[in-house]
Amino acid sequence: MLDALFLGPYGENDTLLEKLVVEFLRDHVYWRRNFHPEDPPAIPTHAAQHPDYKAFESRLRRELHQLSASLKRSVPFHSPRYIGHMASDLLLPGLAAQILTLPYNPNNVSEDAAPVTIDLEVQVGLQLARMLGYPDDTDRPDCAFGHLTSGGTVANYQALRLALALKAFPVALRAAQVPGLALPADDWEAFNLGPDAGIELLGQWQLWLAGQPARDRRRWRDAVQTQRLEHLGMVEFFARHRDLKVPLVLAPITAHYSWSKGLKLLGLGREQLRLLPEKGMRLDAQALEQTLEQCRRERQPVLMTVAVLGTTEYGTVDPVDAVVDLRDRFQTLGLGFSVHVDAAWGGYLATLFRNPDGSLRGIDEVRAGFAHFPQPEVHAAFAALGRTDSVTVDPHKLGYLPYGAGAFICRDHRATALLAEAADYVFHDTRATDYLSRYRRLGQFVPEGSKSGAAAAAVYVTHKVLPLDHANFGRLPRQTVLAAEAFHARAERLAVELDGIARVTVPFAPDSNLVCVAINPTGNADLARANAFVRRLHDELRADASQPLQLKQFFGSMTTLRPEALGETEMNRILTQLQLDPATLVDDDEDTDADRLVILRHTLMNPYLIDHENGISYIDLYLAHLGRRIRALLGSPSP
Ligand SMILES: *Cc1c(COP(=O)(O)O)cnc(C)c1O
């Protein structure tokens, strides 16, 4: 059933891909010829006989051969022996659609440059919206909207940009003293309206403006425009509104470093990123509540709270449900903010929770066939996605598509009016323009300018061939979760096998499809020495371009566990399990890595980790290999 989906670890589906590529390349050439068949060939038919042509061709071939040869040193993402970072084989439908589209070279900045693929990109946004439980009916005024980005980093940046525009807009309306609108009483209230009331007010303003005579309309539009944060800049905006502090972004300590980049880029400054502690490897909702309470008391505005669905390092899932509950509660207390879910990694796992009709699956339905997945907390987090304000999903991660394809999706598309560059377009009644034609000027709304239409075609075709529900696309994440469960169980057997040689543990039960393994040689109680040992193991598992690829048996990656992130109790539990002395864990110190525990990290996304055809489990092979390497490094003979 998965057989036709990928090129395959052995290139098994080479004939299929080759047929498709050749067929659609020819198709493209005929399209060129059929544009104006009366135009004769501009390149003479005998050109290929000319010595210059031949010299050029031989140079070209030489360079391509060199490129192709050096690319053989690439990381073999396709192989089930690769369980390192977040990459795997590419879905054939996406690969074929991208190759097919490349020679047409559509530019999804606007419909003028991409009459076909721009609609596909908007459709992709709706496909992902449906997967997340956002409204995807474009006839609804509050329909969701999503678009592609170069990756999760830019999608997260777009989330910040949109949330800030929406938060600051009511303040601008007040400053412009627009009559006839029910405006908030003061700046603090205006800055804390929250996303829903903010969108409501934006709609009222657009209606009011549309009702003004033409010359007043322009005057009012400019009056508001010149009061906006986007016009004034951070410095002048907050100088004019002295009651308002620069807002904070709250995120779990495990958040990806793109959040730090985003705050710098937006000019809010990294100082405004507050990292919240975790509890049991998930964002601590109680700590979030305390921080929000403190912000409310100190009149410290909050721009957004970020929850991570599938952390980059551990694959863990934050309590999205608790975060949206807190948003709603603090809204009634006068502290408004948006909730964004960074699901760059875990987004496509949502397909496991969706029926083909778009409805949510119950925990017992999802659970069938899995040993532990999903924990009730994980099910609750996915079930709450529809209540969040925006989400980042990376098709180039668990969507098995080529780089760079990230996506940003917001629950209510009306807020995007505040992102548009052209003011005249921003402020006419958006309900008068239909949804699709509005977003055919995609460049108006997105951080990027020119962007790949071929990437949009690849994502669209993939989602059409494999709809985003459990019965279709969901079969892929299902494999990855099953692989993680098999890995977890086999790692526990390895712990028994290595008894008396090394302590091996899975430090926390995986929430999804990343599994970490902690190791300490028996008899060692010193954290720094345990770390040095795991780093040596990892050195054998990392990509190394100076060696022939075939020398590598397996690829893995590493990460660290820090007490600031885990909390002392959890950290001590893990150190004790490893028979490490917690006293050898030192405070943050530049000269040593004894302020954290180094562990191996495994991304189990390759669909062929368990090869049913040949009865091979690469998971078993890997963990047997790991056992042998641990024995060898410790000078302990293999049984
Ligand atoms: C990968 C990742 C990102 C960044 O995405 P890019 O596509 O690499 O830009 C952001 N957040 C999380 C949780 C991620 O896993």
Side-chain angles (χ1 to χ4, degrees):
M1 88 191 161
L2 294 174
D3 286 349
L5 293 189
F6 295 91
L7 180 54
Y10 193 78
E12 293 88 336
N13 288 319
D14 59 339
T15 326
L16 176 56
L17 180 61
E18 194 175 306
K19 263 191 347 212
L20 295 174
V21 170
V22 172
E23 176 176 346
F24 290 105
L25 179 63
R26 289 192 178 139
D27 208 39
H28 170 79
V29 170
Y30 302 147
W31 174 73
R32 291 191 173 202
R33 292 176 188 173
N34 281 316
F35 176 47
H36 275 283
E38 71 276 21
D39 296 347
I43 302 167
T45 47
H46 55 77
Q49 318 309 327
H50 195 281
D52 285 354
Y53 189 106
K54 289 186 169 159
F56 175 83
E57 183 180 340
S58 65
R59 271 213 313 280
L60 171 64
R61 282 184 181 280
R62 197 182 123 92
E63 289 306 321
L64 290 180
H65 279 297
Q66 246 170 35
L67 171 67
S68 180
S70 44
L71 283 172
K72 302 299 179 290
R73 283 185 281 119
S74 298
V75 182
F77 294 138
H78 62 277
S79 168
R81 288 173 182 267
Y82 184 85
I83 48 176
H85 295 285
M86 297 171 153
S88 179
D89 205 353
L90 297 173
L91 277 169
L92 212 58
L95 189 58
Q98 184 138 353
I99 296 173
L100 188 168
T101 311
L102 275 177
Y104 297 87
N105 199 25
N107 177 355
N108 274 17
V109 69
S110 81
E111 63 180 329
D112 288 354
V116 179
T117 51
I118 208 147
D119 282 359
L120 302 187
E121 180 157 346
V122 177
Q123 292 300 333
V124 162
L126 295 167
Q127 291 166 332
L128 290 170
R130 183 181 166 89
M131 172 183 88
L132 299 167
Y134 285 169
D136 67 334
D137 174 0
T138 56
D139 288 336
R140 274 179 66 160
D142 63 345
C143 183
F145 165 69
H147 62 83
L148 296 176
T149 57
S150 65
T153 300
V154 174
N156 285 344
Y157 173 67
Q158 176 77 329
L160 287 169
R161 212 166 71 106
L162 182 61
L164 185 62
L166 194 54
K167 192 171 186 62
F169 186 67
V171 178
L173 283 183
R174 267 182 46 83
Q177 298 177 331
V178 181
L181 285 182
L183 292 173
D186 57 26
D187 275 356
W188 170 259
E189 199 183 303
F191 210 42
N192 278 289
L193 272 191
D196 286 342
I199 290 171
E200 184 64 39
L201 183 60
L202 170 64
Q204 284 168 13
W205 149 252
Q206 287 167 326
L207 259 184
W208 179 85
L209 194 64
Q212 299 304 304
R215 65 196 143 75
D216 290 350
R217 202 179 305 152
R218 166 166 284 269
R219 190 163 59 79
W220 280 113
R221 188 198 67 194
D222 292 348
V224 171
Q225 192 66 1
T226 51
Q227 292 293 341
R228 290 189 56 196
L229 184 150
E230 287 77 2
H231 178 83
L232 296 171
M234 236 33 112
V235 174
E236 181 60 21
F237 182 84
F238 286 102
R240 289 189 186 190
H241 302 282
R242 297 222 166 262
D243 296 349
L244 297 178
K245 294 186 202 160
V246 180
L248 300 181
V249 172
L250 310 179
I253 193 156
T254 46
H256 189 267
Y257 68 110
S258 51
W259 289 102
S260 159
K261 286 187 187 175
L263 268 93
K264 288 195 280 179
L265 193 54
L266 201 59
L268 282 175
R270 203 153 54 178
E271 173 74 5
Q272 270 43 256
L273 179 62
R274 288 300 145 85
L275 296 176
L276 302 168
E278 308 237 312
K279 194 162 157 191
M281 300 306 291
R282 301 194 177 112
L283 171 69
D284 182 351
Q286 246 175 338
L288 172 61
E289 184 177 356
Q290 282 161 10
T291 306
L292 290 170
E293 183 47 44
Q294 190 185 353
C295 289
R296 190 186 68 82
R297 264 201 322 269
E298 296 172 1
R299 286 171 87 84
Q300 166 61 61
V302 174
L303 174 60
M304 104 180 358
T305 299
V306 179
V308 185
L309 199 86
T311 54
T312 318
E313 296 304 315
Y314 318 110
T316 45
V317 173
D318 284 336
V320 178
D321 47 323
V323 176
V324 286
D325 284 347
L326 284 170
R327 177 201 57 195
D328 295 350
R329 192 152 74 70
F330 275 86
Q331 185 64 70
T332 64
L333 300 174
L335 186 79
F337 60 89
S338 309
V339 170
H340 178 79
V341 176
D342 185 355
W345 172 247
Y348 280 93
L349 291 170
T351 55
L352 289 170
F353 298 81
R354 260 319 126 198
N355 284 310
D357 69 2
S359 60
L360 190 75
R361 301 176 82 210
I363 183 162
D364 292 331
E365 291 174 276
V366 181
R367 213 170 237 173
F370 294 118
H372 305 290
F373 181 86
Q375 297 292 314
E377 295 89 334
V378 170
H379 185 273
F382 279 88
L385 282 176
R387 294 169 58 206
T388 63
D389 299 296
S390 54
V391 179
T392 290
V393 179
D394 264 358
H396 66 206
K397 284 184 176 166
L398 276 178
Y400 299 88
L401 287 159
Y403 298 112
F408 169 79
I409 309 103
C410 59
R411 177 170 41 92
D412 187 329
H413 85 103
R414 291 171 293 185
T416 60
L418 295 171
L419 292 177
E421 274 298 311
D424 55 336
Y425 178 61
V426 177
F427 295 116
H428 70 57
D429 185 2
T430 53
R431 289 173 313 171
T433 23
D434 87 282
Y435 184 95
L436 266 180
S437 38
R438 169 181 167 93
Y439 291 113
R440 283 185 186 131
R441 306 193 195 173
L442 204 53
Q444 285 288 323
F445 303 97
V446 303
E448 289 135 314
S450 296
K451 60 205 290 290
S452 165
V459 186
Y460 175 79
V461 167
T462 303
H463 293 175
K464 288 298 272 190
V465 177
L466 293 169
L468 301 176
D469 55 60
H470 80 96
N472 292 283
F473 193 97
R475 289 181 302 176
L476 291 170
R478 181 177 175 78
Q479 293 298 315
T480 76
V481 174
L482 287 172
E485 291 189 338
F487 189 104
H488 187 181
R490 179 65 185 86
E492 287 185 336
R493 285 217 315 278
L494 180 68
V496 176
E497 289 161 18
L498 292 181
D499 189 33
I501 298 162
R503 299 285 295 177
V504 174
T505 72
V506 173
F508 46 88
D511 268 351
S512 58
N513 46 16
L514 261 70
V515 189
C516 294
V517 175
I519 304 161
N520 179 37
T522 302
N524 173 54
D526 181 62
L527 180 73
R529 282 183 51 200
N531 285 350
F533 182 73
V534 173
R535 283 187 194 278
R536 263 180 79 189
L537 277 173
H538 174 247
D539 275 343
E540 298 182 3
L541 294 168
R542 69 199 298 174
D544 176 1
S546 71
Q547 276 188 352
L549 196 58
Q550 289 76 6
L551 288 182
K552 278 278 173 234
Q553 293 299 318
F554 289 92
F555 287 83
S557 58
M558 54 149 273
T559 185
T560 59
L561 293 174
R562 288 172 294 153
E564 310 90 271
L566 280 179
E568 205 172 333
T569 322
E570 273 290 283
M571 193 75 194
N572 282 345
R573 174 184 67 77
I574 294 166
L575 294 181
T576 308
Q577 261 178 24
L578 292 166
Q579 292 175 347
L580 284 169
D581 179 0
T584 61
L585 176 77
V586 300
D587 275 348
D588 221 337
D589 185 322
E590 282 171 30
D591 295 338
T592 152
D593 68 356
D595 61 339
R596 58 189 63 195
L597 176 71
V598 177
I599 57 177
L600 294 179
R601 162 181 176 268
H602 309 91
T603 307
L604 299 157
M605 70 180 288
N606 190 289
Y608 303 100
L609 287 170
I610 303 171
D611 169 2
H612 298 285
E613 173 70 13
N614 302 296
I616 299 173
S617 161
Y618 287 89
I619 292 163
D620 291 355
L621 290 182
Y622 167 73
L623 285 162
H625 169 78
L626 188 63
R628 277 194 304 276
R629 294 310 305 150
I630 292 172
R631 285 171 193 274
L633 290 179
L634 292 174
S636 164
S638 290

